[in-house]
Every structure is written in structure tokens, then in C-alpha cells.
Amino acid sequence: MNLALWTAAGLLAVVALVGGISKAFVPKENLAEAPGGEWTEDARVGFVKSLGVLELLAAVGLTLPAVVGIAPVLVPVTAVCWILLMVGAMITHLRHGGFNRFVVLNMAYLALAAFIAWGHSGLGSFTS
């Protein structure tokens, strides 16, 4: 269980890091041209950058507290926040293109985050 939680948290942290870097540092116009980026056409630059920063914080929050052993409760809290972010992402993708591969991908990320949150509810943990 411990290995599965670390793997899920690591994978989700990489996803959050890549998504955060792209949203925080790539110009909005370039994001709009990328596959799945059509939602940025209606969004303000500050909103897109804020989402990028939140994703960067999620990458840190999914792994660092457990690695250093300081406030490991932040890992499941971050996972729950990621679930909320993915619900918003799915709604946004549904509004801009119907049910597509990005909605399915967001569902997979949501499932990983739910597993991480569940695993830290006492049924599994990073320390064992």
C-alpha cells in the first residue's frame, strides 16, 4: 500500500508540476493553440497564471510534507484540493468541447487523488 501511495503521489506531482509550469510560464495565446487549451481563450491571463501557481503548489503539497515528515496531513488535504480542481477542469472541458479525452484524463487524475486521500485516512500511509 505504501509503495502504491508513493507512486500515485509522485505521478500526480509530476502531472501538477508540468501543468503548473505550462500555465504559469507559457503565454496564454500559446496555450490556446495547444490541444485542450481552447478553454484559455475565455479566461483572463491572471486566472490562467493563478491555476498554474496552484498546480505548482499541489506538486509540492503531494510529496514534500511526507518526504520531510513535517505536517504530513497536508498530503491528503492537497489531494482533496486536487479533486476539486479536477472537477472544475472536467466542467470546463465539457463546456468547451463536450465529452473528450481531456475529461477522461481529468477523471483519471481525480481517481489518483481520491486514492491518495483515502490512503491517508488511516487505511494506508507513507510511513509503515
Side-chain angles (χ1 to χ4, degrees), residues 19-103:
I21 288 171
S22 69
K23 289 178 190 77
F25 300 111
V26 174
K28 187 182 112 165
E29 296 75 26
N30 294 359
L31 286 175
E33 295 171 3
E38 60 278 344
W39 66 271
T40 60
E41 294 171 358
D42 299 339
R44 293 181 181 212
V45 173
F47 178 73
V48 176
K49 301 288 183 203
S50 297
L51 283 177
V53 169
L54 288 175
E55 289 185 20
L56 291 171
L57 290 172
V60 172
L62 286 166
T63 54
L64 191 63
V67 168
V68 297
I70 298 173
V73 71
L74 290 177
V75 175
V77 169
T78 303
V80 170
C81 291
W82 186 265
I83 289 170
L84 297 174
L85 188 66
M86 289 301 101
V87 169
M90 287 187 287
I91 291 169
T92 300
H93 284 296
L94 285 170
R95 285 184 180 168
H96 282 88
F99 193 84
N100 58 32
R101 64 186 172 117
F102 296 105
V103 174

Side-chain angles (χ1 to χ4, degrees), residues 1 37 84 96 110 128:
M1 179 71 155
L84 297 174
H96 282 88
L110 186 148
S128 54

